[in-house]
Amino acid sequence: MIPGRLFCYKDVMFAEAEDKKLADAADEEKSSVRSFADPYSFGNAMKKGNAFTYLSCIIMGAGNIAHKQIVKGLLFLCCEIGYLWFLLKPYGGEYWISKLPSLGDTQQVKVWNDAKGVFEYKAGDNSQLILLYAIAALFMTAVFIFVWQMTVRSAYQAQCLAAEGKHINTFKEDMATLLDENTHALLMFLPVMFLMIFTVLPLIYMMSMAFTNYSKIGNKLILFDWVGLKNFLKVLSFSSSVGKQFWGVLEWTIIWAFFATFLNFFLGTLVAMMINRPRTHCKELWRFCFTLSIAVPQFVSLLIMHTMLQPEGIVNRMLKSQGLITSSLPFFSNATWARVTVIVIDLWVGIPYTLLQVTGILKNIPSDLYEAARVDGANSVQTFFHITLPYMLFVMTPYLITTFTGNINNFNVIYLLSGGAPVPVGDSAGKTDLLVTWLYKLSVDQQNYCTAAVIGILTFMVLGFFSLIAYHSSGSYKNEEGFR
């Protein structure tokens, strides 16, 4: 009975120890959460602030000035005055925001001037400017709200430090912290500002076009309206002409990106392995020959290939002169021929880059792995699929994802080589057009900006979907510590 009781006792003690360990871990986690919590948060300021903190909600900087942070308080006050001036001045932020729901309703009119004896044009509303300035005004409002919240928190921090009898930093001391504990704020300020102004703001402006009827069609280039999801429904519909073109272009875009990415990878890998074999002589010469095309600008190579593959180009002329064909090969006039042609030429352009990438990886695979495989009796095929390929995929998965994304947006190869040809009668998208080249045609050639904006958003969604799925399924994401 004793051993049984001891066994039960040990189980109980083990269970109690585990419970105590879990409880200690929970307490430690709670204490760590409390330690990282901001005692001067905006919520605490609204709950526990004094009169000066609440006054800072109306007059920015009042709490800082009351606690002798004069310069800091005046800077906050200047921000408030500047924003109010920007918002309330004639044709300021408030004017453009008020115009945003309608995007303007006054058209340009022609008025006869009896004194001059001519017609004069009186400018009306410009929806494009209204949308641009309104989004900029909303952006400025969002920045002001952030600064306003920061003002209230700063006032509450000064209140708490004064109540505890602690030192309150002067403006000079606050500036000194930018070179110490707040260095991240100093270093990230300009990059974040430029990112918001030159990337995020234009992106929001262009995406908003998808919800309007901004287009040359129907003369909606000056004064246009909000149409909601109408453009999305038209593009995604299988019954509309634009919808049929979209699904066809999307299908070809994915097929193109798949073959252009993985054929480049596998053929480039094959060439790299053949050159790196111990029995291959003059390795540097072979690499030079394959990478020579990189020295020539890509757009020059593509334009030359475009000329050479024309019905009366040098390729067809040579084949005819040799009696191999009687009529010109339809490199760009037949859909199947055109698609195969652009894929093959993309291989000629892309394999040298893959060759250089793979060569560097092959030289870094431990030779011990190959020696152990040979001792175990593995042949070349088994070695490739169990050592070389897994190692390369682990290292190159992010590169392949980037290449796949780049091929979906590979404007140069398609536009300079085939121009999207062949283009069926009545369609704006050709059989070799990608989403990005079709978007270019819709915006530049046809000025159908609203549909082009929808295509741009859907392209981004396709890219994001495939990139996230591929990366989250890769060993590079699942095992970031290293390859085994």
Side-chain angles (χ1 to χ4, degrees), residues 142-161:
V143 172
F144 173 75
I145 292 174
F146 174 78
V147 175
W148 172 77
Q149 187 184 52
M150 188 169 61
T151 302
V152 177
R153 292 176 58 195
S154 178
Y156 179 64
Q157 182 180 11
Q159 170 197 328
C160 294
L161 293 176

Side-chain angles (χ1 to χ4, degrees), residues 328-342:
S328 298
L329 297 178
F331 287 110
F332 298 123
S333 58
N334 179 275
T336 303
W337 275 82
R339 290 179 173 182
V340 173
T341 299
V342 295

Side-chain angles (χ1 to χ4, degrees), residues 49 59 100 149 155 163 185 231 235 239 356 367 423 430 437 470:
I59 304 176
L100 185 61
Q149 187 184 52
N231 294 323
V235 170
S239 58
L356 297 178
S367 59
V423 181
T437 58

Side-chain angles (χ1 to χ4, degrees), residues 215-287:
S215 173
K216 185 178 180 180
I217 302 172
N219 195 22
K220 298 290 185 179
L221 291 176
I222 303 298
L223 203 61
F224 50 85
D225 305 302
W226 296 106
V227 295
L229 298 175
K230 181 179 178 181
N231 294 323
F232 287 88
L233 296 176
K234 181 176 66 175
V235 170
L236 295 175
S237 173
F238 288 96
S239 58
S240 66
S241 173
V242 175
K244 292 177 182 177
Q245 293 180 67
F246 168 75
W247 290 109
V249 173
L250 176 61
E251 179 185 8
W252 160 241
T253 300
I254 296 174
I255 293 173
W256 150 264
F258 177 83
F259 282 102
T261 300
F262 291 102
L263 283 180
N264 265 308
F265 171 71
F266 285 111
L267 294 179
T269 299
L270 179 62
V271 173
M273 292 181 65
M274 292 174 61
I275 293 176
N276 282 278
R277 290 187 312 166
R279 291 174 292 178
T280 302
H281 301 286
C282 302
K283 293 181 174 61
E284 293 78 8
L285 176 62
W286 288 111
R287 292 195 191 101

Side-chain angles (χ1 to χ4, degrees), residues 99-121:
K99 288 277 190 178
L100 185 61
S102 64
L103 292 177
D105 49 18
T106 304
Q107 296 186 354
Q108 177 179 277
V109 294
K110 185 170 65 173
V111 181
W112 174 258
N113 189 325
D114 289 330
K116 297 180 179 180
V118 295
F119 281 104
E120 294 181 341
Y121 289 91

